[in-house]
Each structure stands twice: as structure tokens, then as C-alpha cells.
Amino acid sequence: MFFWSGGLFLALLFSISFGVFLGSTDVGFWTVWKIVLRETGLMACPGLDEADAAIIWQLRLPRVLLVGLVGAILATAGTVYQGLLKNHLADPYILGVSSGAAVGAVLAIVTGWGTAVFFNWTLPLFAFVGACLALFLVLRLGNGRGASQATALILAGVVVQAFFSALLTLAISLSPDELQRIQFWLMGSFSFRGWQHIGVVLPFFLAGFLICWWFAQELNLFALGERSAVHLGVHVEKLRVGLLIAASLMTSAAVAVSGMIGFVGLIIPHVMRMLTGADHRLLLPLSALAGASFLIWADIFARILLAPAELPIGVITAFVGAPFFAGILRKYLKGRA
């Protein structure tokens, strides 16, 4: 535990440092940290260039921290989905939860509903409703008896994702004035994100993660089967619903600020499970750390591959995740043969 947590924490610090250092304006590596130390009040660092300080503190650092926070959310949510559904192919993107959250956020943008009441919380709340609706549809459609539960859930996720993607396309057709903002949710991006977005997402992450981690031991018992879990004192239905809502809450907040970013919740839990085991008391925090670092590096590549232009971050995660998903699916199908 200490080896992996310490190593992943150091990797995250290095990823954040490199992500903040990288940019179109050259700022020295140590200058970056002097600016951070000064702005946080930990050290007096006179003589710093105020333009560089503004670039680091107002633009680069909040973006990198938000990217890491979203990566931690998606990896944590993927770990919970896979544990509850006993399906290593499950994640918020593949199950259509991200698409549902995006539809909820776009609905809030197009209609303007709730803005006067919820202010900055409008998009996350509407995204949460969309995510819960998508998850409900997946569980209902995937509850058939004619196929294995894992296969049924994946197929249901494909159907639900296609349906909500069609709704997003319809929103684009009916709202050309909001075309750019809607495309943002289709491709995933962190452009023009700042400290205020961290303030919106962080409470959702802390609440959702603490709930999931608190019930990590019960989540371990799901691997034994629902009947065994019931005999061991687990309220299976209540726990499943509660943890799915918590994971969907985190996912909706992430989608509200970053759009749909696929495969993070699939890749990271699977890799960490192979490296550290399936104990969710360890798997959840380690996946959060690894997911944060992974998405920061995906964002770095999205910024440098076509510099000074910027790729949508969803393109990078898809290039990595699609072959990974194909490999897992192939292994799963061989195991069923």
C-alpha cells in the first residue's frame, strides 16, 4: 500500500509540475514553483514577473488541477461500476452515463432552466439527472435473461449511448447559436477552465469518493456473489443503488466541466487491479491517483501534438482506450468460450 500510494503520489506531483511548466510562454521550472509558493502564502518570493505569475496561477495551474480532479473522478467511478456490476468492461462512458450527463448539461444550456436558482451548480445538477436516467435505462435494458449479465449490460450501454448521442445531435440542429458549447461536451476539453470550476467539482468528488470508500469492504463482498453478500450482512439493493448514485454524481460533475471523456474509467481500474489486487479499500484511492496522472498526461499530449492548436482530450483517451477495450473484450470472450 505505502509503496504504490507513495509512488503514485510522486508521479502525480511530477505530472502536475510538468503540466504547469508546459505552455506557449516559457517560464522556468523553478519559477513555476516559486509562483505557486508565493500565491499560496508558503514563501515570500520577491522579484517574480507578474505576467508569468498570472499565467501560472490563473491559467495553467487551475487547468492542470481540474484535469487531475476529473481523471480521479472517472477512475473512481469506473472502479465502483466494475465492482458493483462484476464487469471489468463497465465504465461511465461505455455504459452511457457520460452521454446522459452531457445531455442534461446541454439541456440546461439550451433552455436556461434553473440558472436563476442554482447559479454555478445548474450544469452539475442537470448533468446528474441525465446520468441517473442513463444508468436507470442501462440497468433496465441489461436485466434480461437471454444473455449473460456482462454482455447484456455492455449492449444496453451501447444502445443508451447511441440514444443520448442522437439527442445531442438534435440539440445541435435546433440550437445553432450554442453549437460551439455543445460540441465541447461531445469531444471533451478543458479550455478556459479556471478555479471556479474546481470549486464546483471538488465537493462532488469528495462526497462521492468518501461514500464509496466508506463502503469499500462491502463492495469487496460483491465479488463473492449477491447471495453470499446477503448472508454476510450486506443490504445488496440499498448498497448498489447508493453507490451507483454516488458514482453517477461524481461523473455528472466531471462531465459538466470537461465534456465526455471516454475510457479513463475502464483503463485505470483494470490496470490497478492487475497491479495491486482487487481490495477496494486500496483500489479506490490508488485508482484515483493513477487516473489523475493519466488524464493530466493525456491533456499534455492534447496540447502539444498540434501546437499551437489543441486536440480535444477525448481523442487522446480514445486512441489509448479503444485498443485496450478491444484487448479486454477479446480476453473476456476467450474466457467464455
Side-chain angles (χ1 to χ4, degrees), residues 143-163:
N143 196 30
R145 298 181 180 179
S148 69
Q149 187 71 8
T151 303
L153 287 170
I154 295 300
L155 293 176
V158 171
V159 172
V160 171
Q161 185 182 16
F163 173 72

Side-chain angles (χ1 to χ4, degrees), residues 18-323:
F18 194 80
V20 175
F21 168 72
L22 184 69
S24 57
T25 302
D26 291 331
V27 181
F29 183 83
W30 296 114
T31 302
V32 168
W33 280 106
K34 287 180 181 179
I35 292 171
V36 173
L37 291 173
R38 190 193 73 171
E39 295 294 336
T40 53
L42 297 177
M43 181 183 297
C45 299
L48 295 174
D49 186 277
E50 293 303 321
D52 290 343
I55 290 172
I56 297 300
W57 186 253
Q58 298 297 333
L59 298 177
R60 294 187 191 174
L61 183 60
R63 172 177 176 142
V64 171
L65 292 179
L66 182 62
V67 172
L69 188 57
V70 169
I73 285 175
L74 296 177
T76 301
T79 302
V80 173
Y81 287 144
Q82 292 174 15
L84 286 175
L85 303 177
K86 294 182 292 183
N87 180 0
H88 294 176
L89 300 176
D91 90 323
Y93 183 79
I94 293 172
L95 290 181
V97 176
S98 294
S99 297
V103 168
V106 168
L107 180 64
I109 291 174
V110 173
T111 63
W113 293 342
T115 304
V117 178
F118 301 112
F119 303 104
N120 290 338
W121 304 96
T122 302
L123 290 185
L125 290 176
F126 271 75
F128 176 60
V129 173
C132 288
L133 177 60
L135 183 63
F136 172 78
L137 293 175
V138 169
L139 294 178
R140 292 291 295 176
L141 291 174
N143 196 30
R145 298 181 180 179
S148 69
Q149 187 71 8
T151 303
L153 287 170
I154 295 300
L155 293 176
V158 171
V159 172
V160 171
Q161 185 182 16
F163 173 72
F164 281 108
S165 295
L167 290 180
L168 287 171
T169 303
L170 177 63
I172 292 176
S173 302
L174 297 178
S175 307
D177 295 338
E178 299 290 349
L179 175 62
Q180 186 174 3
R181 295 184 69 183
I182 295 174
Q183 284 182 330
F184 163 80
W185 267 273
L186 289 175
M187 299 182 293
S189 175
F190 289 92
S191 298
F192 309 111
R193 303 290 121 179
W195 290 110
Q196 69 273 23
H197 299 95
I198 295 178
V200 170
V201 175
L202 186 59
F204 288 91
F205 170 66
L206 292 177
F209 180 84
L210 290 175
I211 291 171
C212 295
W213 190 69
W214 183 264
F215 292 102
Q217 182 60 46
E218 288 80 358
L219 192 57
N220 288 337
L221 298 178
F222 270 78
L224 303 176
E226 293 185 6
R227 182 173 299 180
S228 298
V230 170
H231 289 318
L232 292 172
V234 178
H235 297 284
V236 171
E237 288 302 322
K238 291 182 179 179
L239 183 64
R240 179 189 289 114
V241 172
L243 290 183
L244 286 176
I245 290 176
S248 299
L249 182 65
M250 291 189 291
T251 300
S252 62
V255 171
V257 299
S258 66
M260 292 191 299
I261 300 173
F263 298 106
V264 179
L266 171 71
I267 298 172
I268 300 303
H270 195 80
V271 171
M272 297 312 300
R273 191 181 295 108
M274 290 190 299
L275 294 176
T276 66
D279 186 350
H280 287 84
R281 292 173 296 182
L282 307 179
L283 188 60
L284 283 168
L286 295 181
S287 294
L289 289 172
S293 295
F294 173 80
L295 200 60
I296 287 173
W297 282 101
D299 184 59
I300 289 172
F301 281 108
R303 284 189 281 155
I304 66 176
L305 287 180
L306 294 180
E310 182 177 316
L311 277 174
I313 193 171
V315 174
I316 305 298
T317 59
F319 270 122
V320 177

